[in-house]
Amino acid sequence: MIIILRSQAADEEIHAVEQRIRDMGLEPHVSKGIQRTVIGAIGDESKVDKEALEALNGVEKVVRVMKPYKIVSRDSHNAETVIDVSGVPIGGNTIQIIAGPCSVETPEQMEQSAKAVAEAGCRLMRGGAFKPRTSPYTFQGVGVEGLEMFQKAAKAHHLPIVTELMDVRMLDTFLEHNVDVIQIGTRNMQNFDLLKEVGKVHTPVILKRGMSATISEWLMAAEYIAASGNHNIIFCERGVRSFETAYRNMLDVTAISVLKRETHLPVIIDPSHAGGKAWMVPSLSRAAIAAGADGLLIEIHPRPTEAWCDADQALSPNQLNELMVELKGIAQVIGRDL
Ligand code: PEP
Ligand code: MN
């Protein structure tokens, strides 16, 4: 930790800061320059209260040297982590396209969706039985029954399932239904109690980025899950809030580069909730794969215009097939499998 003092800091103030650093269990090393003095505090800074030091007289700024996240950081584990989702790897050289409807609707819709997903060559399926909707008067998801419908349809096509958990009271039900990947949605990225609970199980978790979360906050949210014991975490960028109104959210492609440097965990992109329109999904998907994403989470529907939720952004089975061909070409160019 580095403590930068004000240019006018008096000697007594500097001594008081040194003493406070010692009281915190660190060793101060003072460097006096012509303009100002800086103190390097050596030792375990993880438990040091930065604000308490900043509040001392004569202190201008305190800078942490250590990252506030550990388990998810590349500093703790340099090699890329590959997460085993019921036999399907996420991370590593193979790119995974997870496709499926926004929400589980009926057994027929789920069977047709699963068939389309498998036929397009995708190895995992998405679908929400519990939907986080902005209005309480819109369709909220079919609930537990949806988990059953989803498992039945996906199993018939050997597809592990990804589905959103909103309420911690449903965690046991998710485990009983053998949910292969628990999705934590954008609205719950900082629901710390929920993160701690999914941290206590071993089911892989897709952690979506909060719609206004910084990358650092997102990494800290993942650290909550990891610190509770579950290291099977997949980051999912789904677009962030911006000033632009021409699309639903702004896909932050830069986040792929930053996360790939900061963490060893897989990073996937949701182009559907970013663009919010089906016609934007192919170009955003191509950009994501070219930028190094380990996979995509895409909404499809057997009859998009009839979808009960997010109809505007769902691809048809044909559109998914076409997209898979394009993405295979990009994967090949960058030396990855799809
Ligand atoms: C979803 O994937 O179904 C969803 C609701 O996404 P988000 O949390 O990114 O809005
Ligand atoms: Mn949706």
Side-chain angles (χ1 to χ4, degrees), residues 75-226:
D75 294 348
S76 71
H77 182 96
N78 194 33
E80 299 266 316
T81 290
V82 179
I83 295 177
D84 178 351
V85 178
S86 312
V88 178
I90 300 194
N93 204 48
T94 307
I95 294 165
Q96 300 295 352
I97 310 300
I98 308 165
C102 177
S103 64
V104 177
E105 298 168 6
T106 64
E108 295 71 33
Q109 169 250 11
M110 288 311 280
E111 163 51 31
Q112 289 162 358
S113 300
K115 186 167 177 283
V117 170
E119 281 180 1
C122 304
R123 297 179 208 93
L124 297 131
M125 185 171 174
R126 65 148 287 145
F130 299 89
K131 297 303 305 175
R133 303 305 300 280
T134 301
S135 164
Y137 304 116
T138 52
F139 171 60
Q140 303 285 303
V142 291
V144 179
E145 219 187 301
L147 294 178
E148 283 152 24
M149 275 183 229
F150 192 179
Q151 266 303 7
K152 191 160 179 268
K155 262 217 168 79
H157 296 273
H158 313 289
L159 297 164
I161 67 167
V162 176
T163 194
E164 179 166 353
L165 176 72
M166 294 198 292
D167 186 334
V168 74
R169 290 169 297 185
M170 276 292 149
L171 182 54
D172 287 341
T173 309
F174 270 46
L175 298 178
E176 282 156 23
H177 285 79
N178 300 314
V179 166
D180 301 279
V181 182
I182 297 171
Q183 178 175 321
I184 300 293
T186 195
R187 294 158 189 83
N188 274 314
M189 189 204 83
Q190 284 188 317
N191 182 339
F192 299 119
D193 287 336
L194 184 60
L195 300 180
K196 285 182 197 165
E197 291 304 313
V198 297
K200 291 182 191 155
V201 300
H202 297 293
T203 309
V205 176
I206 287 182
L207 180 64
K208 287 197 153 193
R209 181 182 188 173
M211 58 186 84
S212 302
T214 64
I215 293 176
S216 169
E217 287 165 340
W218 192 11
L219 284 158
M220 291 303 290
E223 189 76 16
Y224 262 93
I225 301 172

